[in-house]
């Protein structure tokens, strides 16, 4: 029996084949390119840069630092970082005019960071504006291992800038070298903090940049065993303010640390802000949360907000803890949300 196939049918099949999305691939960081950008094909094993929906692997193949730049895909299937000793910088920006569109890095599945570091770009050259922060949305589970860290130390508002200049954010600066500079008011949200810490002033090379900002949303379980650190820059007599950490997850486990302190040994910068929200759980594991002011002075403590299914949204537990420093400058003039607050 002869089989007759029309030209139209063949063309239709060809169109469907061309229109079908390419299957997701696994892309492994090789570091062989001439820069650090994730969008550079030569930086990946096989010479092919990732596409939207690919699985991303950083391992012992290369510990070259990476920048996940705006030209790289904003949506990947998964992220696995194991035996990688470098730093991955995610170039997400605030949603403000003229700052680009890469405002959120989406990982549709699981994200596991067992080794190495995540960070965002520095705001030091951002003309006194907030420009960069780390904002990531994870559709599955998130793991930050004991040998891994997310760090945004000293990459917030640059010295002598920011809405809390000099040296305030969640808590106020205690003292400054220039007597004509009074401590600024605090700023930012208690329940959903996203602001960098403001810079300080002490003169010359001792000027201090504030801490950066980390915002991570996880649909599943966030297991935090490593450290998320948004302290101010350590520059001797530094008095920059701590940054912000805003974490939302279905559930939270682990015994890691979230740190939004002013620098230990600094001259009284204010602490930053932390909020941790568990949307499907009544606890936050054993994660340590701290937002101390600088101990010399001391600077005022920042704010720590905790919310779980045991609370009405926006009415969780507010903690203000300055590590037993003799805080004579505990000033928080902002208006808190209506609700009951524990300690």
């Amino acid at each position: 029996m002869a089989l007759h196939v029309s030209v139209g049918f063949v063309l239709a099949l060809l169109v469907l084949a061309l229109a079908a999305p390419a299957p997701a691939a696994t892309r492994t960081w090789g570091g062989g390119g001439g820069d650090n950008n994730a969008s550079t094909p030569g930086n990946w094993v096989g010479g092919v840069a990732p596409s939207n929906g690919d699985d991303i692997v950083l391992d012992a193949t290369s510990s070259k630092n990476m920048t996940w730049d705006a030209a790289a895909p904003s949506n990947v299937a998964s992220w696995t970082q194991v035996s990688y000793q470098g730093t991955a910088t995610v170039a997400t920006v605030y949603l403000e005019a003229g700052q680009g569109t890469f405002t959120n890095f989406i990982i549709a599945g699981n994200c596991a960071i067992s080794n190495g570091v995540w960070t965002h770009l520095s705001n030091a050259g951002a003309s006194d504006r907030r420009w960069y922060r780390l904002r990531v949305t994870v559709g599955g589970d998130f793991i930050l291992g004991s040998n891994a860290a997310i760090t945004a130390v000293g990459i917030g508002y640059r010295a002598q800038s920011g809405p809390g200049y000099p040296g305030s954010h969640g808590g106020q600066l205690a003292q400054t070298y220039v007597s004509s500079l009074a401590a600024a008011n605090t700023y930012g949200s208690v329940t959903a903090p996203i602001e960098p810490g403001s810079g300080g002033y002490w003169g010359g090379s001792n000027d201090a940049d504030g801490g950066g900002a980390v915002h991570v949303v996880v649909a599943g379980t966030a297991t935090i065993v490593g450290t998320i650190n948004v302290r101010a820059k350590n520059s001797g007599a530094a008095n920059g303010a701590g940054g912000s950490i805003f974490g939302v997850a279905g559930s939270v486990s682990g015994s890691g640390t979230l740190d939004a302190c002013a620098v230990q040994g600094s001259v009284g910068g204010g602490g930053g802000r932390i909020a941790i929200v568990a949307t499907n759980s009544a606890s936050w594991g054993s994660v340590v949360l701290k937002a101390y002011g600088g101990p010399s002075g001391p600077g005022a403590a920042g704010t720590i907000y905790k919310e779980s299914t045991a609370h009405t949204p926006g009415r969780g537990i507010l903690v203000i803890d300055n590590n037993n420093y003799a805080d004579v400058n505990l000033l928080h003039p902002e208006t808190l949300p209506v609700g009951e607050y524990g300690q």
Side-chain angles (χ1 to χ4, degrees):
M1 177 185 295
L3 179 63
H4 299 282
V5 179
S6 70
V7 173
F9 180 73
V10 172
L11 290 175
L13 288 178
L14 180 60
V15 169
L16 288 174
L18 292 174
T26 298
R27 303 298 180 196
T28 300
W29 179 250
D35 55 29
N36 290 24
N37 291 338
S39 62
T40 300
N43 278 323
W44 298 91
V45 173
V48 179
S51 299
N52 281 322
D54 283 350
D55 296 297
I56 306 302
V57 175
L58 284 74
D59 59 18
T61 302
S62 173
S63 287
K64 178 181 177 180
N65 293 337
M66 168 207 282
T67 297
W68 196 273
D69 56 301
S74 61
N75 189 328
V76 300
S78 66
W79 185 286
T80 303
Q81 189 168 312
V82 59
S83 300
Y84 173 72
Q85 302 302 321
T87 296
T89 301
V90 182
T92 41
V93 297
Y94 285 93
L95 182 58
E96 295 182 1
Q99 296 184 179
T101 60
F102 187 28
T103 58
N104 187 21
F105 183 37
I106 299 172
I107 301 170
N110 295 330
C111 176
I113 309 173
S114 299
N115 301 85
V117 174
W118 269 17
T119 188
H120 65 75
L121 290 170
S122 174
N123 287 281
S127 302
D128 300 341
R129 298 174 62 181
R130 62 173 198 175
W131 198 289
Y132 301 107
R133 62 169 169 167
L134 178 62
R135 185 183 178 196
V136 179
T137 298
V138 179
D141 296 330
F142 175 81
I143 298 174
L144 185 68
S146 59
N147 294 318
I150 296 175
T151 179
V153 174
I155 55 175
Y157 284 108
R158 67 184 181 184
Q160 304 184 42
S161 72
Y165 167 67
S168 297
H169 181 196
Q172 281 192 318
L173 170 80
Q175 61 188 40
T176 181
Y177 181 78
V178 181
S179 59
S180 61
L181 293 177
N185 283 341
T186 59
Y187 63 95
S189 171
V190 171
T191 59
I194 61 169
E195 297 284 346
S198 287
Y201 180 81
W202 194 253
S205 62
N206 286 321
D207 285 359
D209 302 334
V214 174
H215 182 187
V216 179
V217 177
V218 179
T221 298
T223 303
I224 309 297
V225 186
T227 299
I228 302 178
N229 188 346
V230 296
R231 289 189 175 205
K233 180 181 178 181
N234 188 349
S235 61
N239 55 7
S244 66
I245 302 171
F246 182 22
V248 180
S251 61
V252 181
S253 65
S255 56
T257 299
L258 275 56
D259 186 338
C261 298
V263 181
Q264 295 298 316
S266 71
V267 182
R273 297 192 188 274
I274 297 173
I276 182 169
V277 179
T279 58
N280 294 319
S281 173
S283 71
W284 311 275
S286 299
V287 177
V288 176
L289 312 173
K290 52 187 180 180
Y292 309 143
S296 178
T303 58
I304 295 171
Y305 176 77
K306 302 189 293 183
E307 181 183 308
S308 73
T309 53
H311 306 107
T312 300
R315 299 188 178 186
I317 298 171
L318 175 63
V319 177
I320 299 175
D321 176 7
N322 216 25
N323 198 34
N324 293 320
Y325 300 148
D327 194 341
V328 296
N329 197 50
L330 184 57
L331 301 176
H332 295 275
E334 74 271 14
T335 300
L336 300 178
V338 175
E340 296 181 359
Y341 294 89
Q343 185 172 4

